[in-house]
Structures are given as C-alpha cells and as structure tokens.
Amino acid sequence: MTKTSFIYFFLFSFFTFASLISAYSQRFGYVDTDFIKSQMPEYNEAQAEINKISLQWQEEIQNKYKEIESLYNKLKAEEVLLTREMKDDRLSYIKKKENEVKEYHNKVFGYEGLLFLKRKELVKPLQDKIFKASAKVAKDNRLQMIFDKSGDLIMIYTDPIYDFTENVLEELGIGQKEEQSN
C-alpha cells in the first residue's frame, strides 16, 4: 500500500467514523399533528366553517345542473315543434350554461380555487401555531428533528418516550386545560 492510498484510506475511515458518531448523537422525536388539531377548538371551528361553505357551494352547483337538466327536458318536450335553427339555438344556450357551471365548479373546487383559499385562510394560522410550538418543544428537549407521524412519513416502530405530542399540546395550552378538567 502506497503512502497516498494509505492517507486516502485513513481520511475515508475517519470521515465515515465521524459521520457515524454524529448520527448516533442526533436526537429525534415525533408528534401526531392530526391528534393535536383534533384537540384544538379553533381548528374544529375552522373545519366546521369550511364544511359549511363547501356544502353551500356544492348545493349551488347542483341547483345549476338541475336547471340545465330542466332546460334539456324542456327542449326534448318541445323538439317536434321547433325548427332546426331554433333547436340549435337552444342547444347552444344549454351548452353555454353547462360550460359556465363547469368553470364555476373549477373556480370553487379546483386547484387553488375558492375552497383551497378559504382553507388556507382559516387553517394556516393554526398550523403555524402548531409548528411554532413544535419548534419550541424541540429546542427545549434538544431535538434535532421532529417528525409528524400523521403525515406521509411511515413509522414502523415508535418508542413512546420520543412522542412529544403531549409537550406540543402543553405548549399550546391545551394539555393543561384537560388536566384541570380531570
């Protein structure tokens, strides 16, 4: 083994060993944000408002589709009495109405539509509050990372001593209320 290859081998071994030691010294924790949100009255109120608005919009769109169906039925009933030009005009009008309803549906329920914006308006401040409390809990417990077990992260095994959900609830002032009520 040459002196240069020995130095490369030594440096590689040193950095591998150093990275292993630093990995072992890192501390991780996890929280269940779905559970935390379910314990937040303001989140439940926001969800109720979002559901109410969503149902109103769905009902409005359904009524517009019923109106279009009524126009189709009326056209079918009067079809034998209409000239080809009159029938085409009505069909064109009905198609225009259908397109308007589809556009409105996309405006409300589509990507970054009105429902998305309303959810963002109502829920984002609450999520920020949870993230801020999680960051404080992480700093207080000297954690390098906190995972959300209710997200896409799959946890095969979790040791309850690393579950900091209760700490975040306490930081939000929610856990203390429950203890007082017991």
Side-chain angles (χ1 to χ4, degrees):
M1 190 187 259
T2 66
K3 188 175 181 181
T4 310
S5 59
F6 177 74
I7 291 172
Y8 285 129
F9 177 74
F10 176 75
L11 287 175
F12 175 75
S13 299
F14 175 76
F15 286 119
T16 303
F17 181 71
S19 66
L20 284 173
I21 293 205
S22 69
Y24 282 115
S25 66
Q26 292 180 349
R27 292 190 37 166
F28 303 97
Y30 67 91
V31 295
D32 186 347
T33 57
D34 284 345
F35 178 74
I36 292 169
K37 288 186 274 188
S38 75
Q39 300 299 306
M40 297 176 73
E42 59 264 44
Y43 182 81
N44 294 328
E45 291 168 8
Q47 275 304 120
E49 185 174 340
I50 290 168
N51 292 341
K52 180 182 172 188
I53 292 169
S54 175
L55 286 174
Q56 288 173 346
W57 280 327
Q58 285 175 351
E59 192 175 298
E60 183 180 347
I61 290 170
Q62 284 176 343
N63 288 337
K64 290 181 181 204
Y65 275 119
K66 285 179 184 176
E67 181 183 327
I68 290 169
E69 185 179 350
S70 173
L71 289 172
Y72 269 123
N73 290 338
K74 187 176 178 183
L75 174 63
K76 190 170 185 169
E78 298 173 353
E79 189 172 20
V80 290
L81 303 174
L82 301 174
T83 65
R84 184 72 190 153
E85 186 179 302
M86 292 168 69
K87 182 181 172 185
D88 289 344
D89 286 345
R90 285 199 188 176
L91 273 174
S92 175
Y93 175 76
I94 294 170
K95 294 285 184 193
K96 180 182 169 199
K97 286 286 195 187
E98 278 182 323
N99 288 334
E100 288 172 1
V101 175
K102 287 177 185 176
E103 286 176 21
Y104 182 70
H105 185 272
N106 285 335
K107 179 183 172 188
V108 172
F109 294 110
Y111 178 69
E112 293 191 15
L114 296 174
L115 183 63
F116 173 84
L117 295 174
K118 190 64 172 178
R119 181 175 283 123
K120 184 177 174 183
E121 171 192 329
L122 295 174
V123 174
K124 183 156 179 5
L126 303 174
Q127 289 174 327
D128 291 344
K129 196 174 175 182
I130 292 170
F131 294 147
K132 186 176 177 182
S134 297
K136 183 168 180 351
V137 167
K139 288 176 186 171
D140 292 348
N141 290 282
R142 295 187 187 128
L143 301 172
Q144 282 76 28
M145 287 187 221
I146 290 187
F147 296 102
D148 180 5
K149 86 175 202 180
S150 62
D152 290 336
L153 176 66
I154 298 172
M155 293 188 184
I156 304 300
Y157 171 78
T158 56
D159 189 338
I161 65 169
Y162 298 111
D163 185 354
F164 290 90
T165 302
E166 291 297 325
N167 301 64
V168 173
L169 284 169
E170 188 176 314
E171 183 63 35
L172 290 167
I174 296 172
Q176 296 165 351
K177 293 176 189 174
E178 289 179 14
E179 292 172 6
Q180 291 172 355
S181 66
N182 287 338

